[in-house]
């Protein structure tokens, strides 16, 4: 901007020669008259241009008289100074919210943008200082007084403090914040070393390991807004578990609590079980890997017979033993043992919808029992049996169950050393089954015949929407070409995961051709496949024609500069893709600039991952500028060494996590 006119006009602020406008602002005893020039006011503000027109202006003794009683003299002085000098300065003497309201009325958009940026920076400063209460209060005031985006609204509703180093002062401030009526509904405190926070004063009699937890638990007793709390991996121990259990007896808003990896032990589990007998709001509780033991398990079983609100419970890897038949309310359950008892329960239970039995060393006989239960059960919709290596007999039993079961929609069989013959049996079942929508066969030895059988099944099946066959061992390009041909015929598959095939550029071209014909697929994962430049170009061409794909993962494909530029060009034309992952592709700075240009034109992409691509400082800067101009991108993931350059350029992010 040329500052010369402002330098000339600035002289008129202190010595308003040849003025023709008198503006009276304020009311009662706080009234001040400002002398101004109509030609400058009209040139700088459409509001004044209309207000000072001959049609509306009030003239006395040759001067245009203008009254603004709703704006204070202090605020108007800032506005008039900006009009004449082009400089906005407040020195924190006047409320930024009052300035914003007045500037909005007068139509000074530039000031409003600067105020928004200033307030966000103030929130960020408080946040970095661990002054969480002030940060939240300021941002809530921001939302109450200033027009804001959906992104701003989400930022104040949900806080992610995972891995944040919190000390005694910070936990006390966080506690004060939770005790007040705020808009915050979700708080992630995973891996913050909560057990090591040594809170002095009020809790000096408590052990160092439980003091921080006690402060948080006391706050939960008073909080009335928080619904989701994540305390994963804080190792709070049995005493910490007891403190939180006490809070659950009093809290009436929390619906989800994650306590994975916290060493709660039998007594911590028992305390939480007793709390479940009294709590009537919690619907989700994650107690995965807490060494609850049979004693804690029995207490939970008894509690679940009395609790009528919990719908999801994860108690995997807790050495609980068989106490499954106690469940009558649960709709989701994660157990690591007691498979046969669980199978019996499945034949009787009428509420369970999700069962996770991963990594349990299940044998064929146990899987046969489960498969038999599936033939009788009419409520289970999700079954996870990954990493169990239960053999061909177990697979055949499951395939037979799929032909009879009419409710299961999701089946996870990843990492089970399945081979061609076993997969062919499952593929035959897919041709008969009409309810399964998600199948995970990742990391298995499917072989050529197995993949071809799946491809043939996709041509016949009309219900499967999600297929994961990532990291197939010993796969060949011919097999993937068969899948590509199947995509040209299939009209229901939405999500296909082909990560780690090393399929090469030729097969990449075949998949690209399929994308030009397929009109159903919305998500395609092709990470780690050595597509190189030719494969990248082919996919870029497909994106210019495809109108359904929303998510595309091309991580680690050696696409290079040429492939990257082609994809950037495709983003200028494509109008459906919302997420693109280009991490580890040797793109270089030129592609960074091309992507920046694309972001200025694209209006649909919301997530872009371009880490580890040697973009250089200039590439990062132009991307940061494009991010500030783009109105749809909400996530830009960039290499860590360039985050400072990105952070300096960003003008609208809150909390400073990029």
């Amino acid at each position: 901007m040329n500052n010369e006119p402002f330098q000339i006009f600035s002289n008129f602020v202190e010595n308003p020669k040849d003025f023709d406008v008198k503006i009276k602002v304020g009311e009662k005893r706080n009234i001040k008259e400002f002398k101004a020039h109509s030609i400058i006011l009209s040139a700088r503000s459409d509001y004044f241009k209309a207000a000072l027109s001959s049609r509306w202006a009030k003239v006395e003794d040759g001067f245009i008289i203008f009254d603004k009683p709703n704006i204070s003299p202090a605020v108007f002085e800032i506005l008039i100074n900006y009009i004449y000098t082009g400089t906005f300065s407040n020195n924190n003497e006047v409320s930024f919210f009052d300035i914003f309201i007045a500037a909005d009325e007068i139509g000074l958009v530039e000031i409003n943008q600067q105020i928004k940026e200033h307030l966000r920076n103030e929130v960020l400063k408080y946040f970095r200082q661990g002054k969480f209460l002030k940060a939240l209060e300021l941002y809530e005031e921001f939302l109450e007084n200033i027009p804001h985006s959906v992104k701003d609204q989400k930022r104040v509703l949900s806080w992610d403090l995972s891995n944040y180093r919190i000390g005694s002062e910070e936990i006390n401030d966080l506690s004060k914040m939770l005790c007040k009526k705020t808009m915050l509904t979700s708080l992630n405190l995973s891996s913050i070393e909560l057990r090591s926070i040594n809170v002095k004063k009020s809790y000096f009699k408590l052990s160092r390991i439980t003091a921080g937890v006690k402060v948080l638990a006391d706050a939960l007793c008073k909080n009335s807004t928080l619904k989701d709390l994540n305390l994963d991996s804080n190792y709070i121990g049995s005493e910490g578990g007891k403190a939180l259990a006490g809070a659950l007896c009093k809290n009436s808003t929390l619906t989800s609590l994650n306590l994975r990896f916290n060493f709660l032990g039998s007594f911590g589990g028992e305390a939480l079980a007793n709390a479940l007998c009294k709590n009537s709001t919690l619907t989700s509780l994650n107690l995965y890997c807490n060494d609850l033991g049979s004693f804690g398990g029995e207490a939970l079983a008894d509690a679940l017979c009395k609790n009528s609100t919990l719908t999801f419970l994860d108690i995997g890897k807790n050495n609980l033993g068989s106490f499954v038949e106690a469940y009558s309310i649960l709709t989701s359950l994660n157990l690591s043992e007691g498979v046969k008892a669980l199978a019996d329960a499945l034949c009787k239970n009428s509420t369970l919808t999700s069962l996770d039995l991963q990594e349990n060393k299940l044998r064929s006989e146990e899987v046969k029992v489960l498969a038999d239960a599936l033939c009788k059960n009419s409520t289970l919709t999700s079954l996870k049996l990954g990493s169990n290596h239960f053999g061909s007999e177990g697979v055949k039993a499951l395939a037979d169950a799929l032909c009879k079961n009419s409710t299961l929609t999701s089946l996870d069989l990843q990492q089970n050393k399945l081979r061609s013959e076993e997969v062919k049996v499952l593929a035959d079942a897919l041709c008969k089954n009409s309810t399964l929508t998600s199948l995970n066969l990742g990391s298995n030895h499917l072989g050529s015949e197995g993949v071809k059988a799946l491809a043939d099944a996709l041509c016949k099946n009309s219900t499967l929407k999600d297929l994961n066959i990532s990291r197939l061992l010993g796969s060949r390009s011919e097999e993937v070409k068969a899948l590509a041909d199947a995509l040209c015929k299939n009209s229901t598959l939405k999500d296909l995961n082909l990560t780690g095939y090393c399929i090469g550029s030729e097969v990449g071209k075949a998949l690209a051709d399929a994308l030009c014909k397929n009109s159903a697929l919305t998500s395609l994962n092709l990470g780690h496949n050595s597509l190189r430049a030719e494969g990248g170009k082919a996919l870029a061409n497909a994106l210019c024609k495809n109108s359904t794909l929303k998510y595309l993962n091309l991580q680690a494909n050696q696409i290079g500069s040429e492939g990257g530029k082609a994809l950037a060009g495709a983003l200028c034309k494509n109008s459906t893709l919302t997420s693109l992952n280009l991490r580890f592709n040797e793109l270089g700075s030129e592609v960074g600039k091309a992507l920046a240009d694309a972001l200025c034109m694209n209006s649909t992409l919301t997530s872009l991952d371009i880490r580890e691509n040697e973009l250089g400082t200039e590439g990062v800067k132009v991307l940061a500028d494009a991010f500030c101009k783009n109105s749809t991108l909400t996530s830009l993931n960039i290499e860590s060494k360039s985050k400072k350059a990105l952070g300096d350029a960003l003008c609208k992010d809150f909390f400073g996590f990029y």
Side-chain angles (χ1 to χ4, degrees), residues 551-568:
Y551 171 86
L552 178 60
N553 185 350
L554 297 177
Q555 177 175 313
N557 271 289
Q558 302 170 347
I559 289 172
S561 177
E562 291 303 311
K565 287 179 181 178
L567 285 165

Side-chain angles (χ1 to χ4, degrees), residues 230-246:
N230 187 344
L231 295 175
D232 190 341
S233 304
N234 275 292
Y235 314 109
I236 61 176
S238 60
E239 293 303 313
K242 290 177 182 178
L244 287 171

Side-chain angles (χ1 to χ4, degrees), residues 161-168 171 188-199 208-213 216 230-236 261-262:
L161 299 181
S162 55
N163 298 296
Y164 192 98
R165 289 294 169 261
I166 290 181
S168 60
I171 197 68
N188 186 346
L189 297 177
S190 61
S191 304
I192 65 167
E193 299 184 8
L194 190 57
R195 66 170 179 170
S196 64
I197 298 174
N198 186 16
V199 180
R208 184 170 180 262
I209 293 179
T210 59
V213 185
L216 186 63
N230 187 344
L231 295 175
D232 190 341
S233 304
N234 275 292
Y235 314 109
I236 61 176
F261 297 106
N262 270 294

Side-chain angles (χ1 to χ4, degrees), residues 375-653:
C375 296
K376 303 171 184 176
N377 179 277
S378 61
T379 54
L380 201 68
T381 59
S382 175
L383 177 61
K384 293 185 178 181
L385 294 171
S387 303
N388 276 294
H389 311 161
F390 42 74
S392 59
E393 292 302 314
V395 174
K396 289 177 182 178
L398 283 171
D400 182 60
L402 287 178
C403 296
K404 301 174 182 178
N405 180 280
S406 60
T407 53
L408 199 69
T409 60
S410 177
L411 179 61
D412 186 343
L413 296 174
Q414 63 177 316
Q415 292 184 323
N416 269 297
K417 296 183 179 179
L418 303 183
R419 299 185 180 275
S420 291
E421 289 305 313
E422 296 155 354
V423 177
K424 287 169 71 175
V425 171
L426 285 170
D428 289 341
L430 284 179
C431 296
K432 302 172 184 177
N433 180 279
S434 60
T435 54
L436 203 67
T437 60
S438 177
L439 178 61
N440 188 345
L441 295 173
S443 301
N444 280 296
H445 301 263
L446 302 190
S448 177
E449 294 303 314
V451 175
K452 288 180 180 177
L454 278 174
D456 183 59
L458 286 178
C459 296
K460 301 173 183 177
N461 180 281
S462 60
T463 53
L464 200 66
K465 295 181 180 180
D466 180 357
L467 178 62
N468 184 342
I469 42 177
S470 61
R471 298 179 179 85
L472 294 193
L473 304 177
S475 60
R476 295 178 298 183
S477 59
E478 289 78 5
E479 303 160 7
V480 186
K481 285 183 179 179
L483 284 171
D485 290 340
L487 286 179
C488 296
K489 302 173 184 177
N490 181 280
S491 61
T492 53
L493 200 66
K494 300 288 185 183
D495 188 336
L496 179 60
N497 190 336
L498 297 174
T499 303
Y501 264 69
C502 295
I503 57 180
S505 58
E506 288 304 312
V507 180
K509 290 179 182 178
L511 286 168
D513 290 340
L515 284 180
C516 294
K517 301 172 184 177
N518 181 281
S519 60
L521 206 65
T522 60
S523 175
L524 179 60
N525 192 335
L526 293 174
H528 301 271
N529 272 300
S530 301
L531 296 176
R532 301 186 185 278
E534 291 305 311
K537 288 180 182 178
L539 285 167
N541 181 56
L543 287 179
C544 295
K545 302 174 183 178
N546 181 280
S547 60
T548 53
L549 202 66
K550 294 182 178 181
Y551 171 86
L552 178 60
N553 185 350
L554 297 177
Q555 177 175 313
N557 271 289
Q558 302 170 347
I559 289 172
S561 177
E562 291 303 311
K565 287 179 181 178
L567 285 165
L571 288 179
C572 297
K573 301 175 183 178
N574 181 280
S575 60
T576 52
L577 200 68
T578 60
S579 178
L580 177 61
N581 186 342
L582 294 175
R583 189 181 182 189
F584 290 116
N585 269 295
E586 304 168 8
L587 300 179
S589 59
E590 290 302 313
V591 176
K593 294 176 182 177
L595 285 169
D597 290 339
L599 288 181
C600 293
M601 300 176 66
N602 182 282
S603 60
T604 53
L605 203 69
T606 59
S607 176
L608 177 62
D609 189 340
I610 44 176
R611 286 174 288 173
E612 319 302 334
N613 273 297
E614 299 178 0
L615 299 175
T617 303
E618 288 304 313
V620 171
K621 284 183 178 178
V622 293
L623 276 166
D625 289 339
F627 189 30
C628 290
K629 297 174 185 176
N630 181 285
S631 59
T632 53
L633 200 68
T634 57
S635 174
L636 177 59
N637 210 335
I638 208 159
E639 52 250 42
S640 56
K641 63 183 179 181
S642 300
K643 283 183 179 179
K644 186 180 185 302
L646 178 63
D648 291 340
L650 284 175
C651 59
K652 58 182 181 180
D653 243 10

